[in-house]
Each structure stands twice: as structure tokens, then as C-alpha cells.
């Protein structure tokens, strides 16, 4: 009996210790995540100011934003938002350089890496998928990964704000290099846009830019015939 009681007591001790360690880990994790959210406030504010044209993108601000986002990612490495925002920072930096220069490619390659991580962590995120496709295409890497990223963007959120126009632009820009199945999906997005009178002017301007007027005119003519 004494030995049995000792074993039971030992087991209870292990259970108590395990529970205490689990609670401690959870508390540390929560503190880490909370700290990460505090860290990202400043870079998010800077990015908002840049988007609204209220602040110039200085090298000092950009470097500070990158360092803050990297720290947040170290505190919470499983957060796809932080990877996406780091991707945006590097993509913005690339846009400040001539399109296909070594420096632009270097920054865009880093953006691609962060967008890859973001879509792995949140596979149904159309905004991250279209950014991955866009930056690979701008880096002249229209490979299977870029085409698949475009497909995923169309599948998961063709009408999401910030995605819709980029699908049309990227689809028409790379039209001749896309498989027929992807072309059909992009055509469907354009047809739906025209039917709902969404971004009509943008569609016509983009079609003209990429010499896609003939296909667009056929869609418009077909829709007019259907409505008669």
C-alpha cells in the first residue's frame, strides 16, 4: 500500500508540473504575441501614411519599418500578416528602382520569399497569392509557381478588394504565356466585371495597353446580343 500511494503521489506531481509548464508556456506565448502586435503598430502606421501620400518613403523610415516587422516575426513566426507586410515593404522598395535592374530584382526576390511564407501559413489568402504572382512576373519568372499563384488568386477571391484589378492586369499582361484553362477563368472575371459594370474603364484601358481589344470587343458584342 505505501508503494502504491507513493506511485500515485508521484503521478499527481508529474501531472501538476505538466499543467504548470503548459500554463507557463501559454502565458509566455501570449506575451510574445502581444509584444509582436505592439511592435508592428509603428511600421503599419508608416505604411498607411505612404499609401495615403501623407509621408515620403525615406530610406530611414523603410529600414525602421523592416526591422520592426522582422522583430514581430521573431516574436510570432506563425503570423502570415507579418510575412505579407514584409513582402509589401520589399515590393515597395523594388518599385522605387528601375523595373528590371539588379537592385529591383533583389528587393522583389525578398518580397517573393515573404509572400511564399504568407500563403503557406494562410493558403486561401487571395491577396497574398496575387502579390506572389505579380512579383514573380515582374521579376520575369512566369513559371509554374507564378501561374499557380494566379490561379489560386482567381479561385479564392477574384472580387476581393485589391485583388480584382491585379488579376485582370496580370492576366492580360501574361496572356500568351498562360494555359487555356487560366485564360478562360480570366475571361470569366472580365465578363462578370462588365456585366456588373465594375471597373469598365479600367478594363478597356488595360485591354488597350496589352493589345487585347479584339477579345474584349467580342465579349462586349456577345453580351449585347444576349441582352437583346
Amino acid at each position: 500500500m505505501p508503494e502504491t500511494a507513493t506511485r500515485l503521489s508521484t503521478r499527481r506531481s508529474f501531472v501538476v508540473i505538466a499543467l504548470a509548464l503548459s500554463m507557463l508556456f501559454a502565458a509566455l506565448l501570449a506575451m510574445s504575441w502581444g509584444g509582436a502586435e505592439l511592435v508592428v503598430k509603428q511600421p503599419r502606421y508608416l505604411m498607411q501614411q505612404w499609401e495615403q501620400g501623407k509621408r515620403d518613403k525615406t530610406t530611414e523610415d523603410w529600414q525602421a519599418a523592416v526591422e520592426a516587422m522582422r522583430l514581430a516575426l521573431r516574436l510570432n513566426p506563425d503570423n502570415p500578416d507579418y510575412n505579407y507586410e514584409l513582402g509589401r515593404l520589399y515590393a515597395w522598395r523594388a518599385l522605387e528602382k528601375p523595373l528590371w535592374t539588379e537592385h529591383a530584382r533583389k528587393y522583389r526576390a525578398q518580397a517573393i520569399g515573404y509572400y511564399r511564407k504568407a500563403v503557406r501559413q494562410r493558403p486561401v489568402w487571395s491577396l497574398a497569392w496575387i502579390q506572389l504572382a505579380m512579383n514573380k512576373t515582374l521579376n520575369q519568372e512566369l513559371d509554374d509557381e507564378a501561374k499557380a499563384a494566379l490561379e489560386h488568386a482567381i479561385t479564392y477571391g477574384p472580387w476581393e478588394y485589391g485583388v480584382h484589378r491585379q488579376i485582370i492586369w496580370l492576366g492580360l499582361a501574361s496572356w500568351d504565356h498562360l494555359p487555356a484553362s487560366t485564360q478562360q477563368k480570366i475571361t470569366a472575371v472580365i465578363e462578370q466585371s462588365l456585366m456588373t459594370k465594375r471597373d469598365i474603364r479600367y478594363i478597356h484601358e488595360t485591354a488597350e495597353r496589352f493589345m487585347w481589344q479584339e477579345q474584349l470587343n467580342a465579349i462586349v458584342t456577345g453580351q449585347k446580343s444576349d441582352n437583346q
Side-chain angles (χ1 to χ4, degrees), residues 67-104:
E67 289 305 315
M69 292 306 307
R70 283 177 175 168
L71 174 58
L73 199 55
R74 288 196 295 272
L75 292 170
N76 186 2
D78 297 322
N79 190 312
D81 293 326
Y82 301 161
N83 277 309
Y84 176 80
E85 286 162 336
L86 272 164
R88 287 179 71 201
L89 284 166
Y90 279 100
W92 278 347
R93 192 67 169 168
L95 288 173
E96 295 175 352
K97 311 294 180 182
L99 186 59
W100 290 315
T101 61
E102 180 183 350
H103 284 93

Side-chain angles (χ1 to χ4, degrees), residues 16 20-21 24 68 72 79 83-84 90 108 145 161 176 199 203:
V16 170
L21 289 173
L24 177 60
N79 190 312
N83 277 309
Y84 176 80
Y90 279 100
R108 208 173 284 118
E145 182 187 30
Y161 179 78
D176 292 337
D199 290 331
I203 292 169

Side-chain angles (χ1 to χ4, degrees), residues 118-197:
V119 296
R120 280 201 297 267
Q121 293 170 327
R122 189 180 293 160
V124 296
W125 195 2
S126 59
L127 187 57
W129 279 117
I130 196 62
Q131 292 301 332
L132 175 58
M134 181 69 75
N135 281 272
K136 283 188 67 70
T137 302
L138 290 175
N139 252 17
Q140 297 179 307
E141 299 172 18
L142 190 56
D143 52 16
D144 289 343
E145 182 187 30
K147 294 172 185 176
L150 177 57
E151 284 265 358
H152 288 314
I154 296 170
T155 299
Y156 295 127
W159 309 113
E160 182 179 337
Y161 179 78
V163 177
H164 173 73
R165 286 190 171 194
Q166 292 187 76
I167 287 174
I168 295 172
W169 190 96
L170 188 54
L172 300 192
S174 54
W175 183 263
D176 292 337
H177 304 282
L178 298 176
S181 58
T182 307
Q183 290 178 345
Q184 290 171 0
K185 292 176 182 178
I186 292 165
T187 301
V189 170
I190 293 171
E191 287 175 343
Q192 183 65 25
S193 299
L194 293 171
M195 288 176 64
T196 57
K197 302 187 184 304

Side-chain angles (χ1 to χ4, degrees), residues 6-26:
T6 300
R7 290 196 198 99
L8 288 172
S9 177
T10 302
R11 288 175 185 169
R12 290 194 189 98
S13 297
F14 283 142
V15 170
V16 170
I17 292 171
L19 286 172
L21 289 173
S22 297
M23 292 174 65
L24 177 60
F25 177 76

Side-chain angles (χ1 to χ4, degrees), residues 43-61:
R44 282 176 174 168
Y45 171 76
L46 284 174
M47 286 189 279
Q48 183 184 54
Q49 293 287 295
W50 295 337
E51 284 183 323
Q52 296 173 353
K54 296 180 179 178
R55 188 184 182 107
D56 293 334
K57 295 189 190 76
T58 66
T59 299
E60 292 75 16
D61 279 350

